[in-house]
Amino acid sequence: MIRKRLIPWVLSGFVLVPEMAIASVDFDIKGLDDALKDNVSIYIDAIPESERRLNFRLQARVADETKKALQALGYYSPVIGFKVEDKTSDTDATIVLNIDPGKPVLISEVDIQIDGDATKDDAFTKLLETAPKKGDILDQGKYDSLKSAIQSLAIRRGYFDADYTLSRLEVAPGLYEAFIRLHFSSGMRFHFGNVYYHNSQINEDRLSSMLTFKEGQPYLVSDLGAFNQALANTGWFSSVLVEAGLDDLRQDRVPISVSLEPAPRNQFETGIGYSTDVGPRVKIGWKKPWFNSRGHSLNTDLYVSKPKQTLESTYKIPLEDVQREYYQVQVGVENLDNNDTRSLELTSSVSRHWKYDTGWQRSLYLRWLYSDYTQASVSDISNLILPGINFLRVRSRGGAMPYWGDKQSITFEMAEPIWGSDINLYRVIGQTTWIRSLNNNNRFIFRANGGGVFTDEFERVPPSLRFFAGGDNSIRGYSYESISPKDSDGKLEGGSYLATGSLEYNYRVTGNWWAALFTDAGDAWTSGTPEWNTSVGVGVRWESPVGPISLDVAHGFENTDDNFMIHFSLGPEL
């Protein structure tokens, strides 16, 4: 059975015409510079298609819209010429507009007066530096923007009684002159008053430690926004609303109301992932974002994959400066069965953390590590107490797949028999990652990692403190942690030193899809000089809401087992 597609018809005059045949009257604007032309286009493009029919009514409408567009930019005496081209019907043609904008209207007088406390406010002085000047061509948009900006600035800076006593734009088209008159009375500037908390399950002293302002300071709406964000970042609340009590102003003070909704005391999350390093993996998380009224929190995570199973619990204790300083107590257990490594490790640690305005974070820690392991042909039990220090900075712009960012991290730790460790050991690890973009379509990523373990008893160093290379986030083209020194039986021993690097170029193909080209190199070794393992490859990136999903095909030049390897991963780049 053949189905015929019906074409709708509309009545045009007295003749039935297929709706799909109705064309449009277009406009070709000549004689204007870009700014004037663009503004005229905006005005006349707003004329509905249904009204675009060649007649005197359309001509009058186009002339009226053109004059409005030119007047907005200071041209009040244009000469507009109409010419019809390519006409096939009254609804299918091109109207050529030859426009002479004429002589512009110039600003002859700028009378801007501000009184009240704002006369001593540098923010208003700076804003008025952007005001139109005498002799400028009139731009009504700039006048309206300035008028709105003054009033908006007053509200943001606490001039709640401010208003215009005079606001007028006077135009004398015949004289080609315009006069700007803005008289603004700011009144007094209000200051922060008392802060009132509503429905908080956390002690008020904890909340007040995060205040970005003090009582009696001049009001700034940006300070309210910063305080709102600080409260939201704690994770203690499901909703936060910080607002000024404008209906309850007292003398020169404005009270601040903080409405809070506690977050659920128990939160659970599950996740499923996959990477070629560890295969399928499952995460189960249990979080108590606020354990008590002091804002302590508890986070427990279980990670399960074929080679590794980890259970870790972290208890966080905020200090007086809630946002910047805190203690963490961690306990964990990990079972690992990968390549030539078998280990069961128990860990616990206490750490002290600081965050700085520069973006750097510092942590001092003391951790205990118990490891029952077999590495290659050696089995042992190691008991270590490791004090250490870590410095970390992460910067990012551009969401889950940033166009700009970098990460630096360095860690020092040591073990000595004098405080109960089985061996003496010194360990350092450093890494850096840089993401930079030339424009919206070209990204470059550079990574470098290095480390060293210094000890006289390397055979007693647990596997988690040794170095291995290879895999999705190390040297692509080689399997996960397959690069390290080998014993006489060809089994992986792990290295005393590590050095890896990667250079990657991404090009946006379309939308959220990117192509990648990369080269990796590095080694894990114990003595002598490194034997560099190198690779090149190509890949695909999809910019998903949770971060880039990567699929790579890499060739490891020193990999004798596989000519090419496929790497798949999901996760942040920094």
Side-chain angles (χ1 to χ4, degrees):
M1 178 178 178
I2 299 176
R3 295 180 180 270
K4 294 184 178 180
R5 186 167 67 90
L6 299 178
I7 300 176
W9 296 73
V10 297
L11 188 63
S12 177
F14 298 99
V15 181
L16 286 174
V17 182
E19 185 178 19
M20 60 186 296
I22 295 179
S24 174
V25 173
D26 298 319
F27 304 95
D28 184 9
I29 302 169
K30 299 181 181 297
L32 301 177
D33 63 24
D34 290 341
L36 294 175
K37 183 177 180 180
D38 291 344
N39 211 44
V40 170
S41 294
I42 292 171
Y43 273 71
I44 64 177
D45 285 347
I47 299 175
E49 294 285 345
S50 60
E51 298 180 15
R52 295 189 183 189
R53 188 176 188 83
L54 292 178
N55 51 36
F56 288 113
R57 182 178 179 181
L58 177 62
Q59 181 174 335
R61 176 75 180 275
V62 170
D64 185 52
E65 296 298 330
T66 300
K67 290 176 181 177
K68 290 179 183 178
L70 294 174
Q71 287 174 6
L73 296 178
Y75 292 84
Y76 278 73
S77 55
V79 177
I80 306 171
F82 292 82
K83 182 180 179 182
V84 178
E85 294 182 350
D86 303 325
K87 177 181 177 181
T88 59
S89 70
D90 286 348
T91 57
D92 187 4
T94 298
I95 296 178
V96 179
L97 299 176
N98 289 292
I99 304 173
D100 179 359
K103 183 178 177 180
V105 171
L106 303 181
I107 299 174
S108 294
E109 183 180 350
V110 178
D111 177 20
I112 301 178
Q113 299 179 25
I114 293 181
D115 59 32
D117 287 353
T119 57
K120 299 172 289 186
D121 193 329
D122 291 340
F124 282 87
T125 302
K126 186 175 181 180
L127 174 59
L128 295 184
E129 291 174 356
T130 66
K133 304 295 190 296
K134 182 178 180 179
D136 289 350
I137 296 175
L138 174 64
D139 186 328
Q140 294 184 24
K142 291 182 179 180
Y143 164 79
D144 291 334
S145 295
L146 176 64
K147 180 181 175 182
S148 297
I150 292 173
Q151 199 150 31
S152 176
L153 182 63
I155 294 173
R156 297 198 309 271
R157 297 182 68 81
Y159 300 91
F160 299 123
D161 295 330
D163 202 359
Y164 282 100
T165 58
L166 176 65
S167 60
R168 184 182 301 161
L169 173 61
E170 301 170 349
V171 181
L175 301 175
Y176 299 100
E177 292 181 341
F179 308 87
I180 293 176
R181 307 189 193 281
L182 292 174
H183 295 179
F184 188 73
S185 176
S186 71
M188 69 176 179
R189 184 177 186 182
F190 283 81
H191 297 68
F192 286 112
N194 292 327
V195 179
Y196 299 94
Y197 299 98
H198 308 284
N199 199 36
S200 174
Q201 81 284 17
I202 305 298
N203 289 349
E204 290 188 5
D205 63 328
R206 298 277 83 191
L207 306 180
S208 295
S209 70
M210 293 182 282
L211 281 170
T212 53
F213 53 87
K214 295 181 179 179
E215 183 181 355
Q217 283 185 344
Y219 176 90
L220 275 176
V221 72
S222 58
D223 285 342
L224 290 189
F227 184 42
N228 197 105
Q229 188 62 50
L231 291 171
N233 289 341
T234 63
W236 295 335
F237 310 104
S238 60
S239 69
V240 178
L241 178 60
V242 180
E243 56 186 348
L246 301 184
D247 295 331
D248 194 22
L249 300 176
R250 301 168 187 174
Q251 297 181 345
D252 68 337
R253 301 298 172 92
V254 53
I256 305 302
S257 173
V258 182
S259 300
L260 303 166
E261 186 65 35
R265 296 201 67 164
N266 294 281
Q267 300 176 6
F268 297 90
E269 63 175 9
T270 58
I272 299 175
Y274 178 87
S275 73
T276 47
D277 279 352
V278 299
R281 61 178 182 267
V282 175
K283 174 188 174 183
I284 301 174
W286 170 43
K287 183 177 182 180
K288 295 181 74 67
W290 54 280
F291 195 82
N292 54 33
S293 62
R294 299 296 294 170
H296 297 189
S297 60
L298 177 65
N299 192 30
T300 301
D301 291 306
L302 172 66
Y303 297 89
V304 178
S305 65
K306 183 177 180 181
K308 183 187 295 186
Q309 303 84 45
T310 302
L311 177 63
E312 184 178 73
S313 188
T314 302
Y315 191 82
K316 183 178 179 181
I317 306 171
L319 299 180
E320 184 176 352
D321 190 343
V322 172
Q323 289 185 289
R324 298 171 181 265
E325 299 183 20
Y326 58 92
Y327 280 104
Q328 277 192 169
V329 179
Q330 291 180 304
V331 295
V333 57
E334 178 182 280
N335 182 65
L336 177 65
D337 185 353
N338 179 59
N339 293 334
D340 299 320
T341 304
R342 310 286 185 275
S343 70
L344 176 64
E345 292 191 343
L346 305 177
T347 63
S348 65
S349 68
V350 177
S351 56
R352 172 72 155 85
H353 298 257
W354 295 263
K355 295 182 179 180
Y356 302 100
D357 291 336
T358 58
W360 282 96
Q361 302 179 40
R362 173 169 61 102
S363 62
L364 288 172
Y365 63 85
L366 178 66
R367 69 173 177 135
W368 167 68
L369 172 63
Y370 172 89
S371 181
D372 184 352
Y373 66 91
T374 297
Q375 184 63 58
S377 302
V378 176
S379 297
D380 204 347
I381 294 176
S382 183
N383 187 73
L384 300 176
I385 297 175
L386 297 154
I389 185 171
N390 170 259
F391 296 92
L392 171 69
R393 184 182 70 177
V394 180
R395 302 182 297 177
S396 178
R397 303 172 192 163
M401 191 168 178
Y403 63 85
W404 184 98
D406 52 65
K407 177 181 180 180
Q408 287 80 41
S409 175
I410 187 166
T411 302
F412 301 92
E413 57 185 7
M414 61 187 295
E416 284 287 350
I418 193 173
W419 55 65
S421 295
D422 290 343
I423 60 173
N424 72 305
L425 175 150
Y426 302 90
R427 188 168 183 261
V428 58
I429 307 171
Q431 70 174 82
T432 183
T433 302
W434 296 79
I435 299 175
R436 294 294 186 267
S437 301
L438 291 179
N439 48 44
N440 291 332
N441 299 320
N442 296 274
R443 300 171 79 237
F444 294 90
I445 305 173
F446 169 75
R447 300 183 182 92
N449 296 274
V453 175
F454 306 92
T455 180
D456 296 329
E457 301 178 82
F458 183 75
E459 69 280 358
R460 301 198 64 190
V461 175
S464 61
L465 302 185
R466 303 185 188 193
F467 295 108
F468 301 84
D472 301 343
N473 298 306
S474 179
I475 308 173
R476 287 161 287 190
Y478 301 83
S479 57
Y480 178 53
E481 295 190 345
S482 63
I483 299 173
S484 92
K486 298 180 180 179
D487 64 11
S488 58
D489 295 327
K491 294 183 178 180
L492 302 172
E493 294 183 309
S496 297
Y497 311 104
L498 173 74
T500 65
S502 174
L503 182 61
E504 180 174 317
Y505 167 68
N506 296 164
Y507 175 75
R508 187 193 300 272
V509 179
T510 181
N512 292 333
W513 290 93
W514 299 72
L517 178 67
F518 60 84
T519 180
D520 299 341
D523 191 23
W525 74 101
T526 296
S527 60
T529 58
E531 297 178 0
W532 298 110
N533 299 269
T534 57
S535 67
V536 297
V538 296
V540 177
R541 308 282 181 269
W542 178 51
E543 189 177 347
S544 78
V546 295
I549 296 178
S550 303
L551 178 65
D552 294 323
V553 179
H555 170 63
F557 292 104
E558 289 73 33
N559 187 352
T560 58
D561 297 328
D562 295 285
N563 287 329
F564 294 93
M565 292 200 68
I566 296 176
H567 297 271
F568 177 83
S569 62
L570 164 63
E573 297 172 307
L574 294 173

